[in-house]
Amino acid sequence: MAHYFNTVLLPRVKKVTYSPAWKNGRPARLATCEEADRSPRIVKVVRLESYEDTLNNLDVRRPEPLQRLLDGPSARCPSGAREDYVIRYMLDVETRHSPSLLNLASFLDPFAYLLKVKRPGSDESLEVAVDLIETFNWLLGLRVASVVATRSFSATFSACGKQRRVAALSPTGAGEGRWWFRAVEGKLPDDRRALIIWRNRPGGDEPDGIERDNAVLDAWFRESRNANRHGEFDLVYANGDHNLESLKEPDQNWAGQVIEDHFTRLMFEGAEDGDRAW
């Protein structure tokens, strides 16, 4: 389909959504009530990563002495070490942190996960953001019930013994706070109810960074609009190691999950429904 999707197909879908009749680039009439009821209101465009995109994003990390060995004439012959090495080791170890093979370090900011994508009909590549939230919904087979808009927060901390707690969590303007959260609610294929919490983790490798990020997550979890509804869910996911299960009320039995663990397994392990254990 190449570039025709963006230049022909998608504009046609947008036009017919607005009006069923066009002339000289202008709508000839408005849709009737019946036509409007039958027309799509929202069109979702999903671009799947291609085989070529995957190869373009492989990031090989190899010691120089090993590279010289693999470039040698003896390693390049049909029965040499190069082919066997690439098949058995390179894709499993050396490219493990490549974006196309799921770079878990990039989950520190799920909105900043980038892939190099080749432009249709050219050799030019550009970096585009990957929608990890949508991808995870697809991997889970989640029937989405609601997606809460992203909200940013600033926080002040206080010490409680050896632990750090949030003394105040204040909402800020979009993109102004250091921490942000987005929540997705839905049902898994087995009808279990899931709450998926996406967040950035600006603490990164800073001293006490993980502790601060998790303290903010705990405070948001308590104060979120779902605070009195957490017992309605069977599973609560969040990216990054967390201790959300410690916040359960005595009458609640939901289980806390780490998004990265399930993301990796669902992408690379057996995809048959019988093998999936959410």
Side-chain angles (χ1 to χ4, degrees), residues 18-39:
Y18 182 79
S19 171
W22 289 73
K23 185 176 182 180
N24 298 327
R26 295 178 178 273
R29 62 177 176 84
L30 295 178
T32 65
C33 293
E34 182 180 2
E35 289 170 337
D37 289 339
R38 293 182 176 182
S39 297

Side-chain angles (χ1 to χ4, degrees), residues 48 52 82 91 148 158 169 181 183:
L48 301 180
E52 289 77 12
R82 183 181 180 85
L91 290 177
V148 179
S158 63
L169 186 66
F181 296 90

Side-chain angles (χ1 to χ4, degrees), residues 101-121:
L101 298 180
L102 199 62
N103 184 357
L104 297 181
S106 295
F107 279 58
L108 291 173
D109 187 349
F111 284 172
Y113 198 105
L114 301 176
L115 281 180
K116 294 178 182 177
V117 174
K118 185 175 178 292
R119 287 183 179 273

Side-chain angles (χ1 to χ4, degrees), residues 41 44 54 57 60 67 94 102 104 155 186 214 223 237 245 247 266 273 276:
R41 296 294 194 279
K44 178 184 290 187
T54 301
N57 285 275
V60 179
Q67 183 63 56
E94 291 186 346
L102 199 62
L104 297 181
N214 282 343
E223 298 177 13
Y237 296 84
E245 284 204 1
L247 305 180
L266 292 171
D273 291 341
R276 294 190 176 187

